[in-house]
Amino acid sequence: GAGVSQSPRYKVTKRGQDVALRCDPISGHVSLYWYRQALGQGPEFLTYFNYEAQQDKSGLPNDRFSAERPEGSISTLTIQRTEQRDSAMYRCASSKQENTGELFFGEGSRLTVL
Amino acid sequence: RKEVEQDPGPFNVPEGATVAFNCTYSNSASQSFFWYRQDCRKEPKLLMSVYSSGNEDGRFTAQLNRASQYISLLIRDSKLSDSATYLCVVGGSSASKIIFGSGTRLSIRP
């Protein structure tokens, strides 16, 4: 498709399970960002990539969270040993050039940890 | 202190009114500034960039005050369709993250 694609759209998991959220950016977009958004709040920065290089991961809450973008296109955000507090909307965005604020967001992945 | 702070609102104004939002940012090295709009249950979308000289796009005017580290958005002749959450967004220089404020909710009533 033409836009940013995220999967799964909805994920319900039990506490302690690992989850992987996938983001397929717009073709040719250089930068890819991951955000987490709670209800009524703005997107909270997690990490971002330029091409395959992870530029900043300062927003990842703890070492249970990791992200990769091995070929500079599709990215995966992995949460290990999920906890209830991880429940949120996880949003991916891409941009055509490095360090431009024109981000194109996907529809998000809604994670619910029971 | 949050890196980007906004009044959460909600702002509830009649159709046709003028409404203004402000946003402050903490990092004086920030280089790029934007306003995004987010409709309920949808993803954020870029509304406009904010330039040092100020800029206008139809009914929307954005301004930047670097000395005071704040950004503003003015909406004139508001429409029902302007009801949304407006997100203030700040980026640094090259190789830096892009930070979103918590958003200001706007509701336009007939």
Side-chain angles (χ1 to χ4, degrees):
Chain A
V4 177
S5 178
Q6 290 187 247
S7 61
R9 291 286 313 281
Y10 302 93
K11 176 70 177 178
V12 180
T13 191
K14 291 184 179 178
R15 189 177 52 184
Q17 297 295 304
D18 296 351
V19 297
L21 307 177
R22 172 187 163 123
C23 174
D24 194 349
I26 294 172
S27 178
H29 275 202
V30 166
S31 297
L32 185 148
Y33 295 77
W34 282 101
Y35 291 88
R36 178 170 70 175
Q37 188 170 22
L39 200 61
Q41 297 294 312
E44 173 195 8
F45 172 81
L46 295 177
T47 185
Y48 88 99
F49 297 82
N50 283 339
Y51 300 99
E52 73 282 358
Q54 191 169 23
Q55 299 290 334
D56 188 323
K57 57 180 182 178
S58 63
L60 296 177
N62 51 60
D63 61 8
R64 295 186 295 106
F65 287 72
S66 63
E68 62 174 10
R69 193 186 184 199
E71 297 178 2
S73 179
I74 292 169
S75 177
T76 302
L77 177 70
T78 301
I79 309 172
Q80 295 179 311
R81 305 181 302 282
T82 51
E83 301 177 4
Q84 285 187 326
R85 60 178 170 156
D86 300 334
S87 297
M89 175 71 82
Y90 288 83
R91 295 196 181 276
C92 174
S94 69
S95 66
K96 191 173 184 179
Q97 297 170 337
E98 295 180 38
N99 311 117
T100 171
E102 186 169 7
L103 303 181
F104 294 85
F105 280 84
E107 294 183 296
S109 292
R110 167 76 64 189
L111 174 65
T112 302
V113 183
L114 303 177
Chain B
R1 182 185 174 187
K2 287 185 179 178
E3 293 183 73
V4 180
E5 295 207 58
Q6 294 182 249
D7 180 344
F11 286 66
N12 189 323
V13 302
E15 199 173 3
T18 295
V19 61
F21 312 133
N22 288 332
C23 158
T24 58
Y25 60 95
S26 60
N27 185 354
S28 59
S30 298
Q31 295 290 326
S32 53
F33 310 90
F34 311 89
W35 284 101
Y36 275 68
R37 171 191 169 130
Q38 186 171 24
D39 293 297
C40 189
R41 303 183 193 280
K42 298 288 190 180
E43 70 274 19
K45 292 185 178 177
L46 179 66
L47 177 66
M48 61 195 301
S49 301
V50 186
Y51 303 117
S52 295
S53 54
N55 50 298
E56 194 173 302
D57 183 0
R59 297 180 294 107
F60 298 81
T61 300
Q63 293 201 310
L64 167 66
N65 184 319
R66 285 188 183 271
S68 301
Q69 294 181 209
Y70 83 76
I71 308 150
S72 64
L73 177 68
L74 182 80
I75 306 175
R76 290 183 302 279
D77 188 23
S78 52
K79 312 291 185 192
L80 294 175
S81 57
D82 295 334
S83 296
T85 295
Y86 291 83
L87 298 159
C88 176
V89 182
V90 175
S93 56
S94 61
S96 65
K97 57 193 179 185
I98 294 172
I99 302 297
F100 284 71
S102 56
T104 298
R105 228 165 15 111
L106 173 66
S107 179
I108 307 296
R109 63 180 187 271

